[in-house]
Amino acid sequence: MSIKGMLDTNILIYIVKKKPPAIGERLRQFRRGEIVVSSIVWAEFAVGLYKLGFNVEQAGQLIDVLPFDRAAGNVFGRLTAKYPGRAKAFDRMIAAHAIAAGARLITNNLADFTPYLDDGLTVENWVV
């Protein structure tokens, strides 16, 4: 089964806070494993879950987490060489992971990922 999309942290936060039916409907169109989160996204999201008192282990059973692997690290290295600086390093890692996985990044913050569109990243906003 191939990965169709990778959810960004801000989409996960939006889902938890707003519980939008439209996004739930979109997610139900996919089989398990077709929509994933990066382990980088999960780490960011887990912070918020802990702060809100959610059961992180239970929440983690609801979606597949894709480990940040060597291929993603290679893409991150290429992107960082092209766009040096520590600013936006998490976003760059998430972009690199989506590129390496061949997945469309689903985000509500397109501006953070626009610099990487010419590097093979594809993005989609499910909130609009």
Side-chain angles (χ1 to χ4, degrees):
M1 182 176 317
S2 66
I3 297 170
K4 307 284 187 198
M6 183 178 284
L7 302 175
D8 185 27
T9 312
N10 60 51
I11 286 289
L12 292 174
I13 292 167
Y14 184 82
I15 291 168
V16 168
K17 288 187 174 181
K18 305 285 186 181
K19 297 172 183 53
I23 291 180
E25 284 299 316
R26 288 191 85 163
L27 287 170
R28 283 188 281 282
Q29 294 174 7
F30 297 94
R31 289 180 283 174
R32 181 76 190 237
E34 290 182 329
I35 299 293
V36 300
V37 297
S38 167
S39 56
I40 306 302
V41 166
W42 185 256
E44 288 183 313
F45 187 57
V47 173
L49 291 176
Y50 277 113
K51 286 180 178 180
L52 293 171
F54 281 85
N55 181 322
V56 176
E57 289 301 319
Q58 187 177 16
Q61 301 303 311
L62 300 175
I63 191 150
D64 292 320
V65 178
L66 189 65
F68 191 88
D69 59 9
R70 182 180 303 156
N74 291 344
V75 175
F76 177 73
R78 178 171 49 86
L79 294 178
T80 301
K82 186 174 179 180
Y83 308 101
R86 294 181 60 85
K88 306 279 186 183
F90 279 126
D91 289 338
R92 193 165 41 250
M93 289 177 87
I94 294 164
H97 203 179
I99 292 167
R104 177 180 308 275
L105 182 65
I106 301 158
T107 181
N108 189 27
N109 194 354
L110 299 175
D112 284 352
F113 298 98
T114 300
Y116 312 113
L117 295 177
D118 289 338
D119 298 288
L121 181 67
T122 56
V123 295
E124 190 173 326
N125 187 347
W126 283 5
V127 175
V128 292

PDB file of all heavy atoms in Angstrom, residues 23-52:
ATOM      1  N   ILE A  23     -13.049  17.144   7.401  1.00  0.00           N
ATOM      2  CA  ILE A  23     -11.741  16.479   7.409  1.00  0.00           C
ATOM      3  C   ILE A  23     -11.897  15.021   7.815  1.00  0.00           C
ATOM      4  O   ILE A  23     -11.246  14.140   7.264  1.00  0.00           O
ATOM      5  CB  ILE A  23     -10.735  17.230   8.306  1.00  0.00           C
ATOM      6  CG1 ILE A  23     -10.395  18.582   7.655  1.00  0.00           C
ATOM      7  CG2 ILE A  23      -9.471  16.398   8.516  1.00  0.00           C
ATOM      8  CD1 ILE A  23      -9.425  19.434   8.424  1.00  0.00           C
ATOM      9  N   GLY A  24     -12.796  14.752   8.740  1.00  0.00           N
ATOM     10  CA  GLY A  24     -13.080  13.369   9.105  1.00  0.00           C
ATOM     11  C   GLY A  24     -13.566  12.573   7.908  1.00  0.00           C
ATOM     12  O   GLY A  24     -13.148  11.430   7.690  1.00  0.00           O
ATOM     13  N   GLU A  25     -14.435  13.173   7.108  1.00  0.00           N
ATOM     14  CA  GLU A  25     -14.920  12.515   5.892  1.00  0.00           C
ATOM     15  C   GLU A  25     -13.778  12.241   4.917  1.00  0.00           C
ATOM     16  O   GLU A  25     -13.710  11.172   4.317  1.00  0.00           O
ATOM     17  CB  GLU A  25     -15.990  13.370   5.208  1.00  0.00           C
ATOM     18  CG  GLU A  25     -17.336  13.330   5.891  1.00  0.00           C
ATOM     19  CD  GLU A  25     -17.926  11.938   5.939  1.00  0.00           C
ATOM     20  OE1 GLU A  25     -17.865  11.219   4.915  1.00  0.00           O
ATOM     21  OE2 GLU A  25     -18.439  11.554   6.995  1.00  0.00           O
ATOM     22  N   ARG A  26     -12.888  13.203   4.758  1.00  0.00           N
ATOM     23  CA  ARG A  26     -11.750  13.014   3.846  1.00  0.00           C
ATOM     24  C   ARG A  26     -10.860  11.884   4.326  1.00  0.00           C
ATOM     25  O   ARG A  26     -10.401  11.064   3.537  1.00  0.00           O
ATOM     26  CB  ARG A  26     -10.944  14.309   3.721  1.00  0.00           C
ATOM     27  CG  ARG A  26     -11.710  15.351   2.919  1.00  0.00           C
ATOM     28  CD  ARG A  26     -10.859  16.498   2.567  1.00  0.00           C
ATOM     29  NE  ARG A  26     -10.122  16.187   1.343  1.00  0.00           N
ATOM     30  CZ  ARG A  26      -9.529  17.101   0.605  1.00  0.00           C
ATOM     31  NH1 ARG A  26      -9.565  18.357   0.948  1.00  0.00           N
ATOM     32  NH2 ARG A  26      -8.874  16.762  -0.483  1.00  0.00           N
ATOM     33  N   LEU A  27     -10.604  11.842   5.629  1.00  0.00           N
ATOM     34  CA  LEU A  27      -9.749  10.780   6.177  1.00  0.00           C
ATOM     35  C   LEU A  27     -10.370   9.404   5.971  1.00  0.00           C
ATOM     36  O   LEU A  27      -9.662   8.435   5.711  1.00  0.00           O
ATOM     37  CB  LEU A  27      -9.476  11.030   7.658  1.00  0.00           C
ATOM     38  CG  LEU A  27      -8.511  12.168   7.965  1.00  0.00           C
ATOM     39  CD1 LEU A  27      -8.511  12.480   9.461  1.00  0.00           C
ATOM     40  CD2 LEU A  27      -7.114  11.837   7.473  1.00  0.00           C
ATOM     41  N   ARG A  28     -11.684   9.313   6.068  1.00  0.00           N
ATOM     42  CA  ARG A  28     -12.364   8.020   5.903  1.00  0.00           C
ATOM     43  C   ARG A  28     -12.322   7.511   4.460  1.00  0.00           C
ATOM     44  O   ARG A  28     -12.601   6.344   4.211  1.00  0.00           O
ATOM     45  CB  ARG A  28     -13.800   8.106   6.407  1.00  0.00           C
ATOM     46  CG  ARG A  28     -13.888   8.065   7.929  1.00  0.00           C
ATOM     47  CD  ARG A  28     -15.314   7.956   8.410  1.00  0.00           C
ATOM     48  NE  ARG A  28     -16.040   9.215   8.389  1.00  0.00           N
ATOM     49  CZ  ARG A  28     -15.912  10.179   9.286  1.00  0.00           C
ATOM     50  NH1 ARG A  28     -15.081  10.035  10.291  1.00  0.00           N
ATOM     51  NH2 ARG A  28     -16.619  11.292   9.192  1.00  0.00           N
ATOM     52  N   GLN A  29     -11.936   8.350   3.527  1.00  0.00           N
ATOM     53  CA  GLN A  29     -11.823   7.932   2.126  1.00  0.00           C
ATOM     54  C   GLN A  29     -10.572   7.073   1.889  1.00  0.00           C
ATOM     55  O   GLN A  29     -10.444   6.452   0.842  1.00  0.00           O
ATOM     56  CB  GLN A  29     -11.770   9.147   1.200  1.00  0.00           C
ATOM     57  CG  GLN A  29     -13.034   9.959   1.177  1.00  0.00           C
ATOM     58  CD  GLN A  29     -12.878  11.236   0.364  1.00  0.00           C
ATOM     59  OE1 GLN A  29     -11.870  11.464  -0.289  1.00  0.00           O
ATOM     60  NE2 GLN A  29     -13.893  12.079   0.421  1.00  0.00           N
ATOM     61  N   PHE A  30      -9.669   7.055   2.857  1.00  0.00           N
ATOM     62  CA  PHE A  30      -8.404   6.350   2.708  1.00  0.00           C
ATOM     63  C   PHE A  30      -8.377   5.108   3.583  1.00  0.00           C
ATOM     64  O   PHE A  30      -9.018   5.054   4.628  1.00  0.00           O
ATOM     65  CB  PHE A  30      -7.238   7.266   3.089  1.00  0.00           C
ATOM     66  CG  PHE A  30      -7.120   8.472   2.203  1.00  0.00           C
ATOM     67  CD1 PHE A  30      -7.717   9.671   2.554  1.00  0.00           C
ATOM     68  CD2 PHE A  30      -6.425   8.399   1.007  1.00  0.00           C
ATOM     69  CE1 PHE A  30      -7.626  10.781   1.732  1.00  0.00           C
ATOM     70  CE2 PHE A  30      -6.323   9.503   0.175  1.00  0.00           C
ATOM     71  CZ  PHE A  30      -6.925  10.699   0.538  1.00  0.00           C
ATOM     72  N   ARG A  31      -7.588   4.131   3.145  1.00  0.00           N
ATOM     73  CA  ARG A  31      -7.372   2.938   3.960  1.00  0.00           C
ATOM     74  C   ARG A  31      -6.260   3.217   4.976  1.00  0.00           C
ATOM     75  O   ARG A  31      -5.437   4.105   4.774  1.00  0.00           O
ATOM     76  CB  ARG A  31      -6.978   1.751   3.077  1.00  0.00           C
ATOM     77  CG  ARG A  31      -8.158   1.252   2.252  1.00  0.00           C
ATOM     78  CD  ARG A  31      -7.761   0.112   1.394  1.00  0.00           C
ATOM     79  NE  ARG A  31      -7.027   0.716   0.255  1.00  0.00           N
ATOM     80  CZ  ARG A  31      -6.416   0.032  -0.679  1.00  0.00           C
ATOM     81  NH1 ARG A  31      -6.400  -1.269  -0.645  1.00  0.00           N
ATOM     82  NH2 ARG A  31      -5.805   0.644  -1.666  1.00  0.00           N
ATOM     83  N   ARG A  32      -6.251   2.435   6.016  1.00  0.00           N
ATOM     84  CA  ARG A  32      -5.219   2.554   7.043  1.00  0.00           C
ATOM     85  C   ARG A  32      -3.844   2.469   6.379  1.00  0.00           C
ATOM     86  O   ARG A  32      -3.603   1.594   5.551  1.00  0.00           O
ATOM     87  CB  ARG A  32      -5.378   1.443   8.088  1.00  0.00           C
ATOM     88  CG  ARG A  32      -4.387   1.464   9.224  1.00  0.00           C
ATOM     89  CD  ARG A  32      -4.744   2.563  10.201  1.00  0.00           C
ATOM     90  NE  ARG A  32      -3.711   2.774  11.180  1.00  0.00           N
ATOM     91  CZ  ARG A  32      -3.911   2.703  12.493  1.00  0.00           C
ATOM     92  NH1 ARG A  32      -5.094   2.434  12.967  1.00  0.00           N
ATOM     93  NH2 ARG A  32      -2.923   2.924  13.310  1.00  0.00           N
ATOM     94  N   GLY A  33      -2.950   3.384   6.713  1.00  0.00           N
ATOM     95  CA  GLY A  33      -1.602   3.390   6.165  1.00  0.00           C
ATOM     96  C   GLY A  33      -1.426   4.292   4.958  1.00  0.00           C
ATOM     97  O   GLY A  33      -0.302   4.574   4.569  1.00  0.00           O
ATOM     98  N   GLU A  34      -2.533   4.730   4.365  1.00  0.00           N
ATOM     99  CA  GLU A  34      -2.416   5.642   3.221  1.00  0.00           C
ATOM    100  C   GLU A  34      -2.207   7.089   3.664  1.00  0.00           C
ATOM    101  O   GLU A  34      -1.631   7.886   2.934  1.00  0.00           O
ATOM    102  CB  GLU A  34      -3.653   5.547   2.323  1.00  0.00           C
ATOM    103  CG  GLU A  34      -3.753   4.238   1.567  1.00  0.00           C
ATOM    104  CD  GLU A  34      -4.948   4.172   0.651  1.00  0.00           C
ATOM    105  OE1 GLU A  34      -6.003   4.790   0.950  1.00  0.00           O
ATOM    106  OE2 GLU A  34      -4.833   3.495  -0.393  1.00  0.00           O
ATOM    107  N   ILE A  35      -2.690   7.415   4.850  1.00  0.00           N
ATOM    108  CA  ILE A  35      -2.451   8.733   5.452  1.00  0.00           C
ATOM    109  C   ILE A  35      -1.635   8.482   6.714  1.00  0.00           C
ATOM    110  O   ILE A  35      -2.025   7.689   7.574  1.00  0.00           O
ATOM    111  CB  ILE A  35      -3.779   9.449   5.800  1.00  0.00           C
ATOM    112  CG1 ILE A  35      -4.623   9.671   4.552  1.00  0.00           C
ATOM    113  CG2 ILE A  35      -3.496  10.767   6.516  1.00  0.00           C
ATOM    114  CD1 ILE A  35      -4.042  10.642   3.541  1.00  0.00           C
ATOM    115  N   VAL A  36      -0.499   9.152   6.817  1.00  0.00           N
ATOM    116  CA  VAL A  36       0.430   8.932   7.926  1.00  0.00           C
ATOM    117  C   VAL A  36       0.843  10.275   8.518  1.00  0.00           C
ATOM    118  O   VAL A  36       0.513  11.330   7.985  1.00  0.00           O
ATOM    119  CB  VAL A  36       1.692   8.161   7.454  1.00  0.00           C
ATOM    120  CG1 VAL A  36       1.322   6.801   6.888  1.00  0.00           C
ATOM    121  CG2 VAL A  36       2.486   8.976   6.446  1.00  0.00           C
ATOM    122  N   VAL A  37       1.583  10.204   9.599  1.00  0.00           N
ATOM    123  CA  VAL A  37       2.292  11.369  10.119  1.00  0.00           C
ATOM    124  C   VAL A  37       3.760  11.007  10.226  1.00  0.00           C
ATOM    125  O   VAL A  37       4.116   9.855  10.463  1.00  0.00           O
ATOM    126  CB  VAL A  37       1.753  11.864  11.487  1.00  0.00           C
ATOM    127  CG1 VAL A  37       0.318  12.336  11.381  1.00  0.00           C
ATOM    128  CG2 VAL A  37       1.902  10.826  12.563  1.00  0.00           C
ATOM    129  N   SER A  38       4.588  11.997  10.031  1.00  0.00           N
ATOM    130  CA  SER A  38       6.024  11.829  10.230  1.00  0.00           C
ATOM    131  C   SER A  38       6.300  11.665  11.720  1.00  0.00           C
ATOM    132  O   SER A  38       5.588  12.225  12.561  1.00  0.00           O
ATOM    133  CB  SER A  38       6.747  13.068   9.695  1.00  0.00           C
ATOM    134  OG  SER A  38       8.088  13.091  10.136  1.00  0.00           O
ATOM    135  N   SER A  39       7.335  10.937  12.049  1.00  0.00           N
ATOM    136  CA  SER A  39       7.725  10.838  13.462  1.00  0.00           C
ATOM    137  C   SER A  39       8.090  12.218  14.016  1.00  0.00           C
ATOM    138  O   SER A  39       7.930  12.461  15.212  1.00  0.00           O
ATOM    139  CB  SER A  39       8.872   9.849  13.633  1.00  0.00           C
ATOM    140  OG  SER A  39       9.975  10.203  12.830  1.00  0.00           O
ATOM    141  N   ILE A  40       8.534  13.133  13.154  1.00  0.00           N
ATOM    142  CA  ILE A  40       8.829  14.509  13.574  1.00  0.00           C
ATOM    143  C   ILE A  40       7.524  15.202  13.967  1.00  0.00           C
ATOM    144  O   ILE A  40       7.437  15.864  15.004  1.00  0.00           O
ATOM    145  CB  ILE A  40       9.534  15.301  12.442  1.00  0.00           C
ATOM    146  CG1 ILE A  40      10.772  14.575  11.933  1.00  0.00           C
ATOM    147  CG2 ILE A  40       9.839  16.724  12.877  1.00  0.00           C
ATOM    148  CD1 ILE A  40      11.822  14.293  12.966  1.00  0.00           C
ATOM    149  N   VAL A  41       6.494  15.048  13.145  1.00  0.00           N
ATOM    150  CA  VAL A  41       5.178  15.622  13.441  1.00  0.00           C
ATOM    151  C   VAL A  41       4.624  15.012  14.717  1.00  0.00           C
ATOM    152  O   VAL A  41       4.102  15.722  15.580  1.00  0.00           O
ATOM    153  CB  VAL A  41       4.207  15.405  12.260  1.00  0.00           C
ATOM    154  CG1 VAL A  41       2.766  15.681  12.665  1.00  0.00           C
ATOM    155  CG2 VAL A  41       4.609  16.278  11.081  1.00  0.00           C
ATOM    156  N   TRP A  42       4.757  13.685  14.853  1.00  0.00           N
ATOM    157  CA  TRP A  42       4.222  13.039  16.057  1.00  0.00           C
ATOM    158  C   TRP A  42       4.892  13.592  17.313  1.00  0.00           C
ATOM    159  O   TRP A  42       4.223  13.838  18.322  1.00  0.00           O
ATOM    160  CB  TRP A  42       4.364  11.525  15.994  1.00  0.00           C
ATOM    161  CG  TRP A  42       3.683  10.925  17.187  1.00  0.00           C
ATOM    162  CD1 TRP A  42       4.267  10.424  18.300  1.00  0.00           C
ATOM    163  CD2 TRP A  42       2.278  10.874  17.397  1.00  0.00           C
ATOM    164  NE1 TRP A  42       3.305  10.045  19.210  1.00  0.00           N
ATOM    165  CE2 TRP A  42       2.076  10.315  18.682  1.00  0.00           C
ATOM    166  CE3 TRP A  42       1.165  11.253  16.650  1.00  0.00           C
ATOM    167  CZ2 TRP A  42       0.802  10.113  19.212  1.00  0.00           C
ATOM    168  CZ3 TRP A  42      -0.100  11.045  17.185  1.00  0.00           C
ATOM    169  CH2 TRP A  42      -0.270  10.484  18.449  1.00  0.00           C
ATOM    170  N   ALA A  43       6.191  13.820  17.260  1.00  0.00           N
ATOM    171  CA  ALA A  43       6.902  14.370  18.421  1.00  0.00           C
ATOM    172  C   ALA A  43       6.355  15.749  18.789  1.00  0.00           C
ATOM    173  O   ALA A  43       6.117  16.035  19.977  1.00  0.00           O
ATOM    174  CB  ALA A  43       8.406  14.449  18.128  1.00  0.00           C
ATOM    175  N   GLU A  44       6.151  16.595  17.784  1.00  0.00           N
ATOM    176  CA  GLU A  44       5.585  17.934  18.047  1.00  0.00           C
ATOM    177  C   GLU A  44       4.170  17.815  18.611  1.00  0.00           C
ATOM    178  O   GLU A  44       3.811  18.508  19.563  1.00  0.00           O
ATOM    179  CB  GLU A  44       5.518  18.753  16.761  1.00  0.00           C
ATOM    180  CG  GLU A  44       6.832  19.244  16.235  1.00  0.00           C
ATOM    181  CD  GLU A  44       6.658  20.108  14.990  1.00  0.00           C
ATOM    182  OE1 GLU A  44       5.921  19.718  14.062  1.00  0.00           O
ATOM    183  OE2 GLU A  44       7.277  21.184  14.960  1.00  0.00           O
ATOM    184  N   PHE A  45       3.376  16.951  18.009  1.00  0.00           N
ATOM    185  CA  PHE A  45       1.980  16.784  18.398  1.00  0.00           C
ATOM    186  C   PHE A  45       1.849  16.201  19.799  1.00  0.00           C
ATOM    187  O   PHE A  45       0.967  16.593  20.570  1.00  0.00           O
ATOM    188  CB  PHE A  45       1.278  15.905  17.368  1.00  0.00           C
ATOM    189  CG  PHE A  45      -0.204  15.790  17.545  1.00  0.00           C
ATOM    190  CD1 PHE A  45      -1.008  16.918  17.554  1.00  0.00           C
ATOM    191  CD2 PHE A  45      -0.802  14.547  17.681  1.00  0.00           C
ATOM    192  CE1 PHE A  45      -2.392  16.808  17.697  1.00  0.00           C
ATOM    193  CE2 PHE A  45      -2.174  14.426  17.821  1.00  0.00           C
ATOM    194  CZ  PHE A  45      -2.975  15.555  17.834  1.00  0.00           C
ATOM    195  N   ALA A  46       2.724  15.265  20.141  1.00  0.00           N
ATOM    196  CA  ALA A  46       2.678  14.627  21.462  1.00  0.00           C
ATOM    197  C   ALA A  46       2.841  15.655  22.580  1.00  0.00           C
ATOM    198  O   ALA A  46       2.217  15.525  23.637  1.00  0.00           O
ATOM    199  CB  ALA A  46       3.740  13.536  21.569  1.00  0.00           C
ATOM    200  N   VAL A  47       3.642  16.671  22.348  1.00  0.00           N
ATOM    201  CA  VAL A  47       3.803  17.744  23.348  1.00  0.00           C
ATOM    202  C   VAL A  47       2.442  18.353  23.663  1.00  0.00           C
ATOM    203  O   VAL A  47       2.061  18.503  24.832  1.00  0.00           O
ATOM    204  CB  VAL A  47       4.795  18.826  22.852  1.00  0.00           C
ATOM    205  CG1 VAL A  47       4.817  20.010  23.808  1.00  0.00           C
ATOM    206  CG2 VAL A  47       6.184  18.248  22.677  1.00  0.00           C
ATOM    207  N   GLY A  48       1.719  18.702  22.617  1.00  0.00           N
ATOM    208  CA  GLY A  48       0.394  19.291  22.816  1.00  0.00           C
ATOM    209  C   GLY A  48      -0.582  18.340  23.480  1.00  0.00           C
ATOM    210  O   GLY A  48      -1.374  18.741  24.338  1.00  0.00           O
ATOM    211  N   LEU A  49      -0.523  17.064  23.099  1.00  0.00           N
ATOM    212  CA  LEU A  49      -1.412  16.082  23.716  1.00  0.00           C
ATOM    213  C   LEU A  49      -1.149  15.965  25.208  1.00  0.00           C
ATOM    214  O   LEU A  49      -2.087  15.902  26.013  1.00  0.00           O
ATOM    215  CB  LEU A  49      -1.251  14.721  23.040  1.00  0.00           C
ATOM    216  CG  LEU A  49      -1.755  14.609  21.603  1.00  0.00           C
ATOM    217  CD1 LEU A  49      -1.432  13.233  21.039  1.00  0.00           C
ATOM    218  CD2 LEU A  49      -3.246  14.883  21.514  1.00  0.00           C
ATOM    219  N   TYR A  50       0.123  15.917  25.579  1.00  0.00           N
ATOM    220  CA  TYR A  50       0.461  15.850  26.999  1.00  0.00           C
ATOM    221  C   TYR A  50      -0.047  17.081  27.736  1.00  0.00           C
ATOM    222  O   TYR A  50      -0.612  16.977  28.824  1.00  0.00           O
ATOM    223  CB  TYR A  50       1.975  15.706  27.203  1.00  0.00           C
ATOM    224  CG  TYR A  50       2.467  14.288  27.078  1.00  0.00           C
ATOM    225  CD1 TYR A  50       3.283  13.907  26.038  1.00  0.00           C
ATOM    226  CD2 TYR A  50       2.114  13.319  28.017  1.00  0.00           C
ATOM    227  CE1 TYR A  50       3.738  12.601  25.909  1.00  0.00           C
ATOM    228  CE2 TYR A  50       2.563  12.010  27.909  1.00  0.00           C
ATOM    229  CZ  TYR A  50       3.373  11.660  26.850  1.00  0.00           C
ATOM    230  OH  TYR A  50       3.810  10.372  26.737  1.00  0.00           O
ATOM    231  N   LYS A  51       0.139  18.254  27.140  1.00  0.00           N
ATOM    232  CA  LYS A  51      -0.308  19.497  27.779  1.00  0.00           C
ATOM    233  C   LYS A  51      -1.822  19.532  27.962  1.00  0.00           C
ATOM    234  O   LYS A  51      -2.319  20.101  28.926  1.00  0.00           O
ATOM    235  CB  LYS A  51       0.142  20.707  26.960  1.00  0.00           C
ATOM    236  CG  LYS A  51       1.617  20.994  27.074  1.00  0.00           C
ATOM    237  CD  LYS A  51       1.997  22.207  26.243  1.00  0.00           C
ATOM    238  CE  LYS A  51       3.458  22.540  26.385  1.00  0.00           C
ATOM    239  NZ  LYS A  51       3.837  23.728  25.584  1.00  0.00           N
ATOM    240  N   LEU A  52      -2.552  18.917  27.024  1.00  0.00           N
ATOM    241  CA  LEU A  52      -4.015  18.904  27.105  1.00  0.00           C
ATOM    242  C   LEU A  52      -4.547  17.744  27.942  1.00  0.00           C
ATOM    243  O   LEU A  52      -5.748  17.613  28.139  1.00  0.00           O
ATOM    244  CB  LEU A  52      -4.611  18.836  25.695  1.00  0.00           C
ATOM    245  CG  LEU A  52      -4.389  20.069  24.820  1.00  0.00           C
ATOM    246  CD1 LEU A  52      -4.825  19.791  23.391  1.00  0.00           C
ATOM    247  CD2 LEU A  52      -5.137  21.265  25.395  1.00  0.00           C
TER     248      LEU A  52
END
